[in-house]
Amino acid sequence: MKKSALFLLSFFSVFAFSQKKWTLQECVNYALENNLQVLQSGLNKKNQDLNLDIAKRDYLPSVNGTVQSNGSFGQQLVGTQTVRNDNFNNNINVGANMLLFNYGRLAKQIRKTQFDVEASQFDTEAIKNNISLQIAQQYLSVLLNKEIVKISNSSLENAQSVYNRSKITTDVGTTAQTVLAEATAALAREKQNVQTAQINVSRSLFALAQLLQLPNYKDFDVVDVPVDNQLDAPLYSAETILDKALSDQPEIKAAESRISSANAQTEVARTAFWPTVSATAGFGTFYFNSLTTNIRGYDPVNNVTLTEQNFFGQSKDNFGQQIGLSANIPIFNKGITRLQVEQTKINEDIAKNNLEQSKQNIKENVQQAQFDAESNYENYLAAVEAERSSTLALDFAQKSFEAGRTTIYDLTNARNNLANAQGSVAQSKYNYLFSLKLLNFYAGIPLSL
């Protein structure tokens, strides 16, 4: 009974998934939670968090315990005689070591690691932004191909209507067989166009599903969103949003954090010029047993031989404590420390150069987005005008064909011109919309449809 219930639950889950149509926001949210690049970046962030925790724990003392047991067996020369010398000894010690002074190395290492954590967080945000933009672009590609299917279906209906009329007129002898042949060929071409358009929809859906890394892509579909009412959204100029993009984009923040990390690493490297002072403390005991004689010495006062105590007795009598203070003073290490400082300064310059590259990339992306938005909008307006003219031309061709004053070739040509114009309108519309969304994204407006 339980197995049947689980089966039905799984079946309805799969069925619900297959019937679901995804919105853009749902696609983005799913990708941000499941995309492997995002997950990898999150793991890198966790690794940096652990590095920061490790750096902070370096302030704590280190405590170690040691237990050492040794046994020796064999002959030993005592005076002129060779005697047996078998013995066993055991040492138990607990020691602690704590850093007292290192010219602030620990604090500077913590500061450096904090900047690394910040950079990894901004890296994750940058990956999320990049994936979101890719999903938005592919989502619009799906909508574009669906609109082209509608255009192709409309052309197919017109071709079917012309074919039906041509067949009737040809059967009654009003028109020649060539008219029916051309109408048949035109109908076949439109059917092929519809099939190609449908394949393009499936291909774009497959690409989006792959981008989302969905386990099941065959039944994947998206919500059909009307986009015509979004074409009048405010178009920001590159000059207007560039400062905001340079201050808000995570790529810039990550590069700035890495500059701070490189500066902190230079300070860490400089601490090697200074002494390191450490304190030590410990306690321990030892046990010795001569396996041959069991004698630990001779008491001349009482003129008696002292036998060895047992383990617990020796451990009590031999118990001791010690404390210490040590300073490690650098004198000469082949100039390696100075070279290491120079390396960290070079890394600072590299980090600064990376920041300038990131700024340049953002600037170019913003300017490119503005150029694309403006040019795509002009293309859209021109395509709309061409569609209007093509619609009028098709209307004239249709009436002329019905009146017998023009050929089916002219009608087919007019219909193809309209289909091409409608396709150009759809293409330019979605190109403009993505450029607009991209430009607004740099202006700090979240992606949405």
Side-chain angles (χ1 to χ4, degrees):
M1 187 66 181
K2 291 183 178 179
K3 291 183 179 180
S4 299
L6 291 175
F7 173 78
L8 289 175
L9 180 60
S10 301
F11 174 78
F12 284 119
S13 298
V14 173
F15 180 77
F17 178 85
S18 64
Q19 297 299 311
K20 174 182 175 59
K21 288 191 175 184
W22 295 55
T23 65
L24 173 60
Q25 192 59 51
E26 288 173 335
C27 290
V28 171
N29 291 342
Y30 182 89
L32 297 186
E33 293 177 1
N34 299 277
N35 186 273
L36 295 179
Q37 293 182 43
V38 176
L39 295 178
Q40 179 67 37
S41 182
L43 293 175
N44 292 337
K45 169 63 168 54
K46 290 182 180 180
N47 195 33
Q48 291 294 346
D49 289 336
L50 291 177
N51 287 337
L52 178 58
D53 194 19
I54 291 172
K56 290 179 178 179
R57 290 172 182 265
D58 278 342
Y59 277 113
L60 301 175
S62 59
V63 180
N64 295 285
T66 60
V67 177
Q68 184 178 14
S69 299
N70 295 295
S72 62
F73 307 91
Q75 303 292 332
Q76 180 181 12
L77 182 63
V78 178
T80 59
Q81 295 182 344
T82 300
V83 297
R84 188 74 180 179
N85 183 28
D86 299 335
N87 60 73
F88 171 80
N89 63 82
N90 178 269
N91 289 275
I92 302 175
N93 293 280
V94 176
N97 183 289
M98 185 173 183
L99 184 65
L100 299 180
F101 175 79
N102 64 347
Y103 198 64
R105 181 184 182 90
L106 296 184
K108 293 170 183 177
Q109 184 64 42
I110 290 174
R111 184 166 172 266
K112 188 262 182 190
T113 310
Q114 287 174 333
F115 289 125
D116 291 337
V117 171
E118 289 180 3
S120 64
Q121 178 63 42
F122 292 133
D123 287 340
T124 300
E125 294 179 11
I127 291 175
K128 289 181 177 180
N129 285 347
N130 183 48
I131 291 175
S132 298
L133 289 174
Q134 292 181 48
I135 290 174
Q137 186 175 25
Q138 191 58 44
Y139 196 99
L140 290 175
S141 178
V142 173
L143 297 182
L144 168 62
N145 287 324
K146 285 189 173 185
E147 189 161 333
I148 291 177
V149 168
K150 295 178 182 179
I151 295 172
S152 299
N153 282 327
S154 178
S155 297
L156 177 60
E157 291 176 2
N158 291 332
Q160 185 69 53
S161 177
V162 171
Y163 169 80
N164 294 339
R165 184 178 184 278
S166 299
K167 190 174 187 311
I168 293 173
T169 56
T170 301
D171 288 344
V172 300
T174 305
T175 56
Q177 287 289 337
T178 54
V179 174
L180 179 59
E182 176 57 29
T184 302
L187 180 61
R189 287 195 296 269
E190 293 304 335
K191 288 181 178 179
Q192 182 184 10
N193 290 338
V194 169
Q195 183 66 27
T196 300
Q198 291 173 343
I199 291 175
N200 288 336
V201 170
S202 299
R203 181 178 288 111
S204 58
L205 282 171
F206 173 74
L208 180 56
Q210 291 290 92
L211 190 59
L212 295 176
Q213 298 174 349
L214 291 176
N216 181 14
Y217 63 85
K218 292 184 178 180
D219 298 316
F220 174 70
D221 200 0
V222 301
V223 175
D224 295 332
V225 182
V227 299
D228 292 331
N229 58 349
Q230 302 186 46
L231 300 181
D232 295 328
L235 178 61
Y236 297 94
S237 66
E239 292 75 13
T240 303
I241 67 173
L242 189 56
D243 289 340
K244 182 174 180 58
L246 291 178
S247 62
D248 292 350
Q249 289 301 305
E251 296 92 334
I252 302 299
K253 293 181 179 180
E256 290 174 343
S257 295
R258 288 191 167 91
I259 290 177
S260 300
S261 175
N263 292 337
Q265 183 59 43
T266 299
E267 295 302 317
V268 171
R270 285 198 176 105
T271 61
F273 288 117
W274 291 78
T276 300
V277 179
S278 301
T280 59
F283 58 87
T285 186
F286 67 90
Y287 167 78
F288 178 85
N289 181 22
S290 175
L291 301 176
T292 304
T293 64
N294 199 29
I295 295 174
R296 64 184 175 90
Y298 176 76
D299 183 1
V301 177
N302 298 315
N303 195 24
V304 295
T305 301
L306 302 176
T307 60
E308 293 176 344
Q309 291 179 291
N310 60 26
F311 177 83
F312 295 103
Q314 286 195 42
S315 297
K316 179 181 178 181
D317 291 344
N318 296 334
F319 183 79
Q321 308 86 36
Q322 64 276 346
I323 60 173
L325 194 67
S326 64
N328 185 5
I329 303 173
I331 297 176
F332 177 71
N333 70 338
K334 310 173 188 178
I336 292 177
T337 300
R338 191 171 302 279
L339 294 176
Q340 289 174 336
V341 171
E342 291 299 320
Q343 282 183 323
T344 60
K345 290 181 178 179
I346 293 174
N347 289 333
E348 287 183 36
D349 293 335
I350 292 175
K352 292 176 182 178
N353 186 65
N354 289 337
L355 173 61
E356 294 305 316
Q357 289 184 20
S358 297
K359 288 182 176 180
Q360 183 63 27
N361 290 338
I362 294 294
K363 181 179 179 181
E364 291 176 358
N365 290 341
V366 171
Q367 291 175 340
Q368 184 68 48
Q370 182 192 18
F371 176 82
D372 290 343
E374 292 174 349
S375 59
N376 288 331
Y377 187 68
E378 293 298 325
N379 286 337
Y380 171 70
L381 295 179
V384 169
E385 183 62 31
E387 181 188 22
R388 187 180 299 112
S389 300
S390 298
T391 301
L392 184 60
L394 178 59
D395 184 58
F396 287 149
Q398 184 73 36
K399 292 178 180 179
S400 297
F401 176 74
E402 292 174 355
R405 292 193 298 269
T406 187
T407 66
I408 192 173
Y409 299 101
D410 296 325
L411 178 60
T412 301
N413 185 57
R415 187 175 63 244
N416 290 338
N417 289 339
L418 176 59
N420 291 334
Q422 290 172 332
S424 296
V425 169
Q427 183 73 55
S428 59
K429 177 174 64 177
Y430 283 97
N431 286 344
Y432 169 68
L433 184 59
F434 178 73
S435 300
L436 179 64
K437 295 296 181 181
L438 180 59
L439 194 59
N440 291 343
F441 168 78
Y442 284 116
I445 301 175
L447 291 171
S448 63
L449 281 178

